[in-house]
Amino acid sequence: MHPALSVISFTTLSGAGYGLAFVLATGHGNPGALSTKIAWFVALALITIGFLSSTLHLGNPQRAWRAVSQWKSSWLSREGCMCFISYVPLCLLAGMSIFYNSFDLTLGYIGAICCAITVYCTAMIYASLRTIASWHTGWTPAFYLAFALTGGTLIYVGFFGPPTGSRSTEIWIYLCMVFLVCSWAVKYGWSHRAERVGYGKSTMESATGLGNIGKVRLLERPHAMGNYLTNEMAFRIGRKHAQKLNRIALLLGLVLPLILLALALQIASVAAFFTIVAALSFMAGVFVDRWLFFATARHAVGLYYGGDDALMPAE
Amino acid sequence: MTSLPQSTNKKLGLVIDLDTCVGCHACVINCKEWNTSGYGTALSDQDPYGANPTGAWLNRIHTFEVVPDKPKGQGVGEVIGTAGEARVVHFPKSCLHCEDAPCVTVCPTGASYKRSEDGIVLVDEDKCIGCGLCAWSCAYGAREMDLAAGVMKKCTLCVDRIYNEELQEVDRQPACVRTCPAGARHFGDFADPNSNVSLLVAERGGFDLMPEQDNKPVNKYLPPRPRSDLGEGADLGAAHTEESTEGASGLLGWIDRALSPSSKQKEAN
Ligand code: SF4
Ligand code: SF4
Ligand code: SF4
């Protein structure tokens, strides 16, 4: 699939925003502290920037309001609805903290649940597509949720957490390390399956119905130049640099943050700086990983364009 | 509404004959011609006369090559092909108006819908936001975004022809069906077991594309017909028996005797 920047930033930024909002809404951070007020602002900003960037790839964004109408059948519509619904508790909580230095735990839990459901809906837009076998699995929402929580927690600890050196910072840093390892473990489960699943049950033979004669090969494609389908769905599978990018994603998203957090535990004087860099590094890793999520995805329509033989760039 | 109808009164669709299609692209051109001035906005092209022309089309012809891997056939007309000898199959592809159309249920705006009266899948372009998710959900690549209008385009089953009383009866057929010089496309109602399309499917073993995707496509494809094995028709053994004149009598026997070289000549040879 074509790795559109707008969709990659939408999923990563709003994921981190909802993750951060989740941490705040479950009662973390002193509502009267300036850092918590800024954290609320940042969470809402991330969510909003992500949401706006998702409208960038629309052909007719002025009609985007219509997208909330089909929540009965469409995960994209559900995602749009949840985005608006979760603004209510999140904005109320942010307002309470920013203007009244207060917090309400019941409203907080409602907000936290809304965050989780919204991220789940985002992931289900992709996981519900039967045409893309590597996405069509429960692993997809699992790793979207895991990355959102880990990103939100890291941003919270890095930028807005309790003062470094305190006992509670240590606990937070340990928690971040656990989250890091767990979320990449879930992602590993997804990748392990994705590498093997290919086009799922579909083949060029089932796509053409000619399999009972023999092996099918594309002799001539229907159009001389590219078209919407080949640009969007038969994107030359991002295999060429996939392995390298995968290593970069792991390095930025897992290894570097773990090392930085471990150092932060040891050297109190630079702990604050290191946790911030760990959070940024993780986000960069997730961004690369999300690029790969799209770029390496095989869409069934690729089978009408010759499948992997035609669409895989040479190593 | 993007929920699918429980059932549809009719199931209008196409039968595409992979045996007779000659890959001339006439249906592709006539489809574009009819639909660029018909339902919805024009089907735009980008850079049409430049170096990299692209555009939105509702019907495309792929061409595949299948090399049979079965051993040599058992007799004339019984094989689908001979091992190692390619069969070339021209493969027209437009929307299959699926019964379980995922393109309809994923649509967030209600722009995509399936009509309960005849099962045609359409896009209401005034509601479409051009998110492209429906095209992602279609395994067959039957939807293309119009890059000028920013709305999704797809085969309408020529809904503005088939019920159009302004047209002569013979023209109340999809443009692609009407124009095909080989008669490779057939239009009809699959809900009626005695319709032309249902009979064709029953007779020729019509099949679904990618049944494993669970879309229940309405359009069906007819397989290439078996053909004779190369070499079978020119079998020397068979040729001998056919040319044997033993036992010929009457006028034909006399002609045979008169034209055959005499036994003396045979000896001389
Ligand atoms: S062929 Fe594609 S566009 Fe047409 S109904 Fe089926 S899924 Fe939808
Ligand atoms: S592109 Fe248009 S028709 Fe397709 S899912 Fe989006 S809004 Fe619906
Ligand atoms: S039925 Fe009409 S719109 Fe559909 S492929 Fe044929 S000509 Fe094109």
Side-chain angles (χ1 to χ4, degrees):
Chain A
M1 302 295 290
H2 174 69
L5 199 60
S6 58
V7 181
I8 297 173
S9 5
F10 156 57
T11 57
T12 50
L13 294 182
S14 73
Y18 284 117
L20 178 56
F22 182 91
V23 174
L24 296 169
T26 42
H28 301 289
N30 175 358
L34 181 64
S35 62
T36 310
K37 296 172 197 254
I38 299 176
W40 272 112
F41 181 78
V42 169
L44 288 171
L46 284 172
I47 292 170
T48 310
I49 295 170
F51 179 67
L52 290 179
S53 84
S54 77
T55 62
L56 285 182
H57 85 286
L58 298 181
N60 278 287
Q62 78 284 4
R63 300 182 196 139
W65 59 271
R66 287 189 184 274
V68 294
S69 65
Q70 303 302 315
W71 49 271
K72 275 193 203 155
S73 74
S74 161
W75 281 103
L76 178 53
S77 185
R78 286 173 197 159
E79 198 269 343
C81 293
M82 278 315 298
C83 180
F84 285 115
I85 292 172
S86 44
Y87 266 126
V88 177
L90 296 185
C91 286
L92 282 175
L93 287 164
M96 281 168 77
S97 164
I98 292 170
F99 300 113
Y100 302 103
N101 303 332
S102 65
F103 177 77
D104 182 85
L105 194 59
T106 318
L107 191 60
Y109 281 138
I110 295 174
I113 291 170
C114 284
C115 291
I117 297 178
T118 313
V119 174
Y120 180 77
C121 290
T122 307
M124 283 309 289
I125 298 173
Y126 308 108
S128 67
L129 297 172
R130 296 193 289 259
T131 44
I132 301 160
S134 60
W135 295 358
H136 190 51
T137 161
W139 287 102
T140 302
F143 92 76
Y144 266 73
L145 284 165
F147 276 171
L149 182 62
T150 308
T153 314
L154 271 164
I155 294 174
Y156 174 72
V157 176
F159 291 90
F160 315 109
T164 46
S166 65
R167 179 82 193 112
S168 77
T169 321
E170 256 181 46
I171 296 174
W172 273 110
I173 290 180
Y174 280 123
L175 189 68
C176 283
M177 294 168 93
V178 172
F179 279 1
L180 273 169
V181 173
C182 290
S183 55
W184 283 100
V186 174
K187 183 64 215 300
Y188 177 78
W190 183 91
S191 307
H192 183 78
R193 178 185 171 280
E195 275 163 24
R196 278 155 192 76
V197 72
Y199 290 95
K201 284 188 218 143
S202 297
T203 58
M204 284 186 72
E205 284 71 33
S206 75
T208 57
L210 300 172
N212 62 331
I213 304 180
K215 188 112 192 68
V216 178
R217 189 179 83 87
L218 180 71
L219 185 65
E220 195 174 18
R221 53 190 182 155
H223 37 94
M225 299 299 165
N227 72 353
Y228 174 74
L229 297 174
T230 54
N231 294 343
E232 188 82 354
M233 279 158 268
F235 183 78
R236 305 251 300 174
I237 298 159
R239 255 298 165 76
K240 192 167 178 195
H241 304 296
Q243 293 218 318
K244 227 178 279 167
L245 287 170
N246 233 330
R247 265 179 254 136
I248 293 174
L250 268 179
L251 192 72
L252 290 174
L254 177 66
V255 181
L256 206 59
L258 277 183
I259 295 174
L260 289 167
L261 292 176
L263 287 174
L265 286 173
Q266 301 304 319
I267 318 165
S269 56
V270 288
F273 176 70
F274 277 8
T275 42
I276 287 180
V277 180
L280 293 177
S281 173
F282 174 78
M283 286 310 296
V286 171
F287 202 86
V288 176
D289 187 70
R290 201 56 52 86
W291 187 92
L292 284 167
F293 175 76
F294 288 97
T296 59
R298 290 174 175 82
H299 190 287
V301 83
L303 294 168
Y304 290 106
Y305 286 93
D308 275 5
D309 286 347
L311 300 173
M312 292 275 277
E315 286 290 331
Chain B
M1 269 313 215
T2 59
S3 296
L4 288 162
Q6 288 287 322
S7 65
T8 59
N9 299 338
K10 285 186 184 175
K11 286 188 206 170
L12 297 187
L14 303 177
V15 165
I16 294 176
D17 190 340
L18 297 180
D19 190 71
T20 34
C21 174
V22 293
C24 68
H25 290 241
C27 58
V28 177
I29 304 298
N30 202 20
C31 169
K32 177 101 169 180
E33 160 67 20
W34 177 263
N35 286 287
T36 200
S37 45
Y39 183 97
T41 63
L43 288 165
S44 73
D45 290 311
Q46 280 68 46
D47 195 16
Y49 304 105
N52 188 20
T54 59
W57 300 69
L58 313 182
N59 179 30
R60 304 259 191 189
I61 315 294
H62 298 241
T63 299
F64 295 102
E65 178 194 75
V66 210
V67 182
D69 44 18
K70 310 255 159 60
K72 250 182 180 292
Q74 296 75 36
V76 174
E78 283 175 19
V79 287
I80 197 75
T82 308
E85 284 164 13
R87 282 204 73 157
V88 171
V89 180
H90 301 291
F91 195 94
K93 190 163 57 58
S94 49
C95 170
L96 294 96
H97 297 278
C98 306
E99 280 179 63
D100 248 328
C103 57
V104 170
T105 52
V106 299
C107 176
T109 62
S112 280
Y113 63 105
K114 185 171 175 73
R115 308 201 325 167
S116 56
E117 61 268 39
D118 52 17
I120 298 181
V121 175
L122 287 175
V123 175
D124 178 346
E125 293 179 4
D126 292 335
K127 287 190 188 154
C128 174
I129 55 175
C131 66
L133 193 60
C134 53
W136 287 19
S137 78
C138 172
Y140 311 106
R143 290 178 168 239
E144 297 186 17
M145 185 85 79
D146 188 295
L147 295 183
V151 294
M152 194 51 74
K153 288 291 189 177
K154 67 174 294 300
C155 158
T156 63
L157 208 60
C158 286
V159 68
D160 48 357
R161 284 179 72 98
I162 56 178
Y163 298 114
N164 191 340
E165 301 199 338
E166 302 293 314
L167 299 179
Q168 287 185 354
E169 178 101 43
V170 32
D171 282 326
R172 283 178 220 156
Q173 290 209 44
C176 55
V177 173
R178 185 79 180 97
T179 205
C180 177
R185 299 175 77 111
H186 307 265
F187 164 72
D189 178 11
F190 289 88
D192 170 6
N194 294 316
S195 67
N196 59 334
V197 285
S198 298
L199 294 176
L200 263 174
V201 167
E203 185 187 322
R204 296 271 309 279
F207 58 83
D208 286 352
L209 302 186
M210 290 203 255
E212 70 282 358
Q213 290 271 346
D214 293 332
N215 301 326
K216 292 209 220 129
V218 168
N219 284 13
K220 301 281 185 263
Y221 282 73
L222 304 181
R225 285 188 177 90
R227 53 164 68 155
S228 61
D229 222 347
L230 275 186
E232 292 277 341
D235 187 324
L236 286 181
H240 262 275
T241 29
E242 273 161 27
E243 283 178 17
S244 163
T245 54
E246 238 167 81
S249 60
L251 179 63
L252 289 176
W254 176 78
I255 294 175
D256 181 49
R257 277 192 303 280
L259 294 181
S260 295
S262 67
S263 43
K264 268 184 196 160
Q265 272 174 313
K266 267 187 190 166
E267 272 162 30
N269 285 344

